[in-house]
Amino acid sequence: MKKIRIRKGEEAGAAASLSNRTDSDFGEVDASVREIVEKVKRDGDEALYYFSEKFGGPGKERIGSLRVSEEEIEEACRATEPELTEALRMAAENIRSFHEKQMSESWSYRKGDGILLGQLVRPIRNVGVYIPGGKAPLSSSVLMNVIPAKIAGCERIVMCSSPEGDGKINKYILAAAKIAGADEIYKAGGAQAIAAMAYGTESIRPVSKITGPGSAYVARAKKYVFGTVDIDMIAGPSEVCIIADSTADPEYIAADMLAQAEHDEMASSILITDSEETADRAAAALQRQISVLERREIASQSVENNAVIFVTEDLDSAFLIADEIAPEHLELMIPDAEKRLDMVNCAGAVFLGQYSPEPLGDYLAGPNHTLPTGGTARFASPLGVYDFLTRTSVISYSREELQKVNREIIRLAESEELTAHANAVRVRFGNEGKKAKA
């Protein structure tokens, strides 16, 4: 873990200290992804069975039908502990309440009697959601991806997740899918699932957009199929950035840094503080807490390689550094955090005060936990209902209104040497249009 002191005026360039943001070489991954995708395009369902077994999962005999039956879903729901079911339902309700406020509608306006301008807002009809299975089945990601699509009005929401050794999808993922309202669920994981949703197989009809988290292979597969379908983002390692002063509890800081570090070895945990004492006490608390974690090996590597503590001269500098980092998660462990919100310009999600830890956003609060990573919060936004909508412009002019502007259109078209464009207007007005060139 690095500790870096930043003087006033030296905030620019601090983000370069984050080692896991350097460009990675995905050559071998991309080559594998290309092979997987092309085989799925060629062999369909058989490729899904083949890659499941090849990568250590169950084979065709154990999986059976790729589509999860209603009986399997109901069985999973019955096997899910009532307390967890209630927690999933509570989270789902909060997610719905928040995302319903994002819904937009078609609009139009008239300019006089002969001009109508507007925008049609329509749901994407077919969308796909990828949910990782394995050692950390992300049932919360089911809710975060499916519910916004449902609110948008998508007609068909397809979900893919890798089957476990018994050929079934994790029961918690299926229970969450039932609560969220997924329409079709398939036993397919990895890059092959992305290919199946993008291009279709005998069992899986193709979709128009794919969202959801996954491994580097999943992320690169999403990049590979982009253009055939839309995607949400190409996510990088998860990250948290905490701005804290002398009033912050070091134990809270350490716990929140480790909550991020346990994701994977590439995750980043960043503390920015104007208090040397807070920096030292948080670092000590982090080392104490890491020793009792179940995922301590992963967290230890993450902390050793990617954790950074910046010590600044004041909080203004701390906010400048945080803006440059543009973190996925930004926690403000300072008094009157809400009053400092106007200093935040680039962050996926902001958590205010010592009792708004990042896991609150991951699971229950309601805002989406699918957030821009790797500094892309400078230009990207959290997943939302708007990601499952299309917008179409509407233009209507009467003959009289087009006649008023036909010469200007012709002049603009001819200035670009697009004479057919000019003629498409000129032909409607005969000799009148010819005068525009004079």
Side-chain angles (χ1 to χ4, degrees), residues 10 12 28 90 139 179 203 324 332 403 423:
E10 296 179 351
E28 290 186 11
M90 181 184 294
S139 56
I179 290 170
S203 296
E324 184 184 3
L332 305 184
Q403 187 174 29
N423 188 61

Side-chain angles (χ1 to χ4, degrees), residues 17-70:
S17 303
L18 306 180
S19 58
N20 69 338
R21 286 188 165 188
T22 56
D23 291 335
S24 300
D25 181 5
F26 289 104
E28 290 186 11
V29 174
D30 286 342
S32 295
V33 164
R34 188 179 304 111
E35 177 186 340
I36 291 168
V37 172
E38 292 305 320
K39 186 172 177 61
V40 171
K41 288 171 67 175
R42 184 176 66 251
D43 298 340
D45 287 352
E46 286 303 316
L48 299 181
Y49 291 120
Y50 169 79
F51 285 120
S52 176
E53 191 166 13
K54 179 180 179 179
F55 298 133
K60 183 175 182 179
E61 290 184 4
R62 186 65 60 87
I63 293 173
S65 171
L66 288 169
R67 182 164 180 173
V68 177
S69 67
E70 286 298 321

Side-chain angles (χ1 to χ4, degrees), residues 77-215:
C77 290
R78 288 192 299 270
T80 299
E81 298 85 344
E83 296 82 2
L84 178 57
T85 299
E86 183 56 34
L88 287 169
R89 286 175 176 159
M90 181 184 294
E93 181 55 37
N94 290 343
I95 294 166
R96 285 191 191 94
S97 296
F98 179 86
H99 286 80
E100 282 171 351
K101 294 175 175 58
Q102 296 178 340
M103 190 64 186
S104 57
E105 298 179 349
S106 300
W107 53 268
S108 64
Y109 67 97
R110 292 189 178 277
K111 292 175 63 176
D113 294 331
I115 300 175
L116 172 69
L117 302 173
Q119 182 173 269
L120 299 178
V121 178
R122 298 287 187 264
I124 299 173
R125 289 182 175 177
N126 299 285
V127 300
V129 172
Y130 182 77
I131 303 297
K135 295 180 180 179
L138 302 181
S139 56
S140 60
S141 290
V142 177
L143 305 180
M144 293 290 183
N145 283 266
V146 174
I147 290 174
K150 207 74 178 176
I151 292 170
C154 300
E155 293 178 8
R156 175 173 166 261
I157 303 172
V158 175
M159 192 183 88
C160 284
S161 188
S162 55
E164 298 180 329
D166 61 0
K168 297 179 180 180
I169 291 177
N170 178 275
K171 63 183 179 181
Y172 299 144
I173 289 177
L174 292 182
K178 177 72 172 180
I179 290 170
D183 297 305
E184 301 171 21
I185 306 171
Y186 294 93
K187 306 168 192 175
Q192 59 269 29
I194 302 302
M197 288 190 283
Y199 300 105
T201 70
E202 296 90 335
S203 296
I204 306 174
R205 286 191 292 118
V207 300
S208 299
K209 181 163 188 169
I210 299 172
T211 71
S215 66

Side-chain angles (χ1 to χ4, degrees), residues 263-404:
H263 270 291
D264 64 67
E265 295 86 350
M266 293 297 291
S268 290
S269 303
I270 305 157
L271 170 62
I272 313 176
T273 179
D274 62 349
S275 166
E276 191 85 41
E277 181 182 4
T278 296
D280 291 340
R281 292 177 65 195
L286 193 150
Q287 294 303 326
R288 284 196 308 273
Q289 292 183 26
I290 203 170
S291 65
V292 297
L293 292 179
E294 290 186 10
R295 295 166 67 91
R296 57 183 170 274
E297 291 186 10
I298 293 173
S300 294
Q301 290 188 50
S302 171
V303 169
E304 181 180 349
N305 297 327
N306 304 312
V308 180
I309 296 178
F310 294 104
V311 181
T312 61
E313 294 183 6
D314 56 35
L315 285 180
D316 287 350
S317 290
F319 277 90
L320 289 174
I321 293 171
D323 251 8
E324 184 184 3
I325 293 172
E328 180 186 14
H329 308 97
L330 176 63
E331 294 189 10
L332 305 184
M333 288 196 189
I334 54 177
D336 301 320
E338 186 176 351
K339 294 181 180 178
R340 293 271 192 166
L341 267 177
D342 61 350
M343 300 181 71
V344 177
N345 298 293
C346 304
V350 186
F351 301 79
L352 307 182
Q354 298 199 73
Y355 296 96
S356 303
E358 183 268 336
L360 174 65
D362 272 353
Y363 296 114
L364 203 72
N368 210 287
H369 75 197
T370 303
L371 304 169
T373 62
T376 58
R378 291 176 292 109
F379 54 81
S381 305
L383 186 73
V385 173
Y386 35 76
D387 288 295
F388 298 98
L389 299 170
T390 61
R391 290 160 292 279
T392 302
S393 298
V394 176
I395 302 167
S396 174
Y397 269 56
S398 66
R399 186 183 193 284
E400 291 73 23
E401 292 296 339
L402 180 61
Q403 187 174 29
K404 291 177 185 178

